[in-house]
Amino acid sequence: MSPASKIHVLFHDAGGGHRNAAVALKAVCEWQSRPWQVNLVQFQELTDHLDVLRRLTGIRIEDQYNILLRSGWTWGSVYLLRILQLTIRIFHRPLARLLANYWREHPADLLVSVIPHFNREIAESWKSVYPDRPFVTIITDLADFPPHFWIEPIPEQIVVTGSERAEQQARDFGKTEKKLFCASGMILRPEFYAEQKESPLAIRSALGLNANLPTAIVLFGGYGSNVIYDIVHQVDEARLPLQMILVCGKNEKLAARLRAAKFSLPLHITGFTREVNRLMHAADFLIGKPGPGSIAEAMISGLPVLVECNSSTLPQERYNTEWVVEKQVGVVVKSLKRAVPAVRSLLEPGKLPALQHNVKSLHNRAVFEIADFLSTQLQENPASPNLLEASK
């Protein structure tokens, strides 16, 4: 391994989980003082002029995706996903050519992808320039949604999974031990593993909440969701003995609407925040969408989850609800717009402690395991003299 190996990490901002995974990987490598230069590469910016939807509408693909999430317009997302994949296939060659040119101008020892859909193009372009350099895809979902989502049946792709389901899917695609690494969960930022110096009761008091009242954190990703308002309204109407921490993300209109409303139950309302781990430490359970990042953050924080699964649930997130039921770490309902019965059941004596016990039996060390795995890849594939010269 060279004294300062270079790693490119490809991410995009369609949803918050892909950027979070990239940032987490870079952060743990720096925290561990790895002899690496980790470069985060924004895929959308790299391929902007090939964005067909932007040409037609003036809005980037990832921005359109985030608008759908924020507004809750996700019904029929399977069809939109397949249209996107067809478009990618049509632009396969120019996209691979564009990426290859970038790799030539920006050499590295290892390429990591934390995005779906484009891994065939990424792998082909990378191997055309550096045939002996490893390409690793870190799946940031609990399961793949084939075909052509995360795992491709090509030898160039090494896959990192975070669940038994994804591991089996990778094997079904022909990934052998040399092309597959099974981590113990989803990749999370290192701060989620840091010891909390404040007690949950102290954090609640600091947030202006009742120190002893059951507390739910309501979280729908980095871009929020208008369904948060509906959840608060119905819980308030039911007069449940509960208080809520509401994380609205970048949905500023939602945060303003909640602050202007007159609710009787205690609330702490925040927009986008870097303190999700601290806020989760103050809660007893999480209410939100079944995103892999939110669920993984809840698990590492000891929180059972209340999530929904229906025709509007993103197809790649539907297995997550099966996982919640299998592991007995939460409750799944048809719609969070009718969450009161499920919340009431969680507040029954003994229910939350039993679920919290199951949550604590999980041990996710993925971010550290993946850093070790990448180190192995670099050691087994030392940079060629030509690459070392180009990297200087």
Side-chain angles (χ1 to χ4, degrees), residues 192-214:
F192 276 93
Y193 297 88
E195 183 180 356
Q196 286 286 345
K197 297 180 180 179
E198 297 175 278
S199 71
L201 302 186
I203 298 174
R204 291 177 190 177
S205 296
L207 298 177
L209 298 174
N210 186 321
N212 299 305
L213 195 63

Side-chain angles (χ1 to χ4, degrees), residues 162-180:
S163 74
E164 296 93 339
R165 172 69 66 89
E167 176 186 351
Q168 185 56 55
Q169 288 175 315
R171 296 188 188 281
D172 291 343
F173 270 99
K175 301 299 179 183
T176 61
E177 298 300 328
K178 288 193 68 175
K179 298 294 183 178
L180 176 62

Side-chain angles (χ1 to χ4, degrees), residues 12-28:
H12 58 45
D13 288 305
H18 308 288
R19 176 182 284 272
N20 286 343
V23 170
L25 187 57
K26 181 178 177 68
V28 77

Side-chain angles (χ1 to χ4, degrees), residues 289-317:
K289 75 184 189 74
S294 297
I295 291 175
E297 290 171 357
M299 296 299 101
I300 202 71
S301 303
L303 305 183
V305 298
L306 171 57
V307 294
E308 68 179 8
C309 185
N310 53 49
S311 59
S312 294
T313 302
L314 293 172
Q316 68 270 27
E317 295 183 349

Side-chain angles (χ1 to χ4, degrees), residues 89 92 96 117-125 135 148 150 152-154 157:
R89 294 294 167 265
H92 172 84
H117 301 303
F118 297 93
N119 285 294
R120 180 180 290 272
E121 289 72 25
I122 297 167
E124 182 178 304
S125 65
F135 165 60
H148 306 303
W150 282 106
E152 296 284 0
I154 53 176
Q157 184 191 40

Side-chain angles (χ1 to χ4, degrees), residues 40 58 65 81 101 126 172 178 184 207 225 235 258 312 317 326 333 360:
L40 303 188
Y65 178 84
L81 185 152
N101 289 336
W126 179 252
D172 291 343
K178 288 193 68 175
S184 57
L207 298 177
S225 171
V235 171
L258 286 164
S312 294
E317 295 183 349
E326 289 170 4
V333 296
K360 290 176 182 177

Side-chain angles (χ1 to χ4, degrees), residues 61-98:
I61 288 177
E62 64 181 31
D63 293 334
Q64 293 187 41
Y65 178 84
N66 292 328
I67 290 170
L68 294 177
L69 289 184
R70 187 163 55 245
S71 304
W73 301 333
T74 50
W75 186 88
S77 53
V78 173
Y79 304 105
L80 294 175
L81 185 152
R82 296 310 181 201
I83 291 170
L84 170 62
Q85 291 178 332
L86 176 61
T87 304
I88 293 169
R89 294 294 167 265
I90 292 171
F91 282 82
H92 172 84
R93 288 186 179 179
L95 181 56
R97 193 160 51 242
L98 182 151

Side-chain angles (χ1 to χ4, degrees), residues 39-71:
N39 306 311
L40 303 188
V41 182
Q42 219 284 6
F43 185 80
Q44 179 74 55
E45 294 178 0
L46 180 58
T47 60
D48 240 354
H49 77 273
L50 289 179
D51 189 335
V52 179
L53 290 183
R54 188 181 187 186
R55 291 182 189 178
L56 296 175
T57 66
I59 306 174
R60 286 174 162 183
I61 288 177
E62 64 181 31
D63 293 334
Q64 293 187 41
Y65 178 84
N66 292 328
I67 290 170
L68 294 177
L69 289 184
R70 187 163 55 245
S71 304

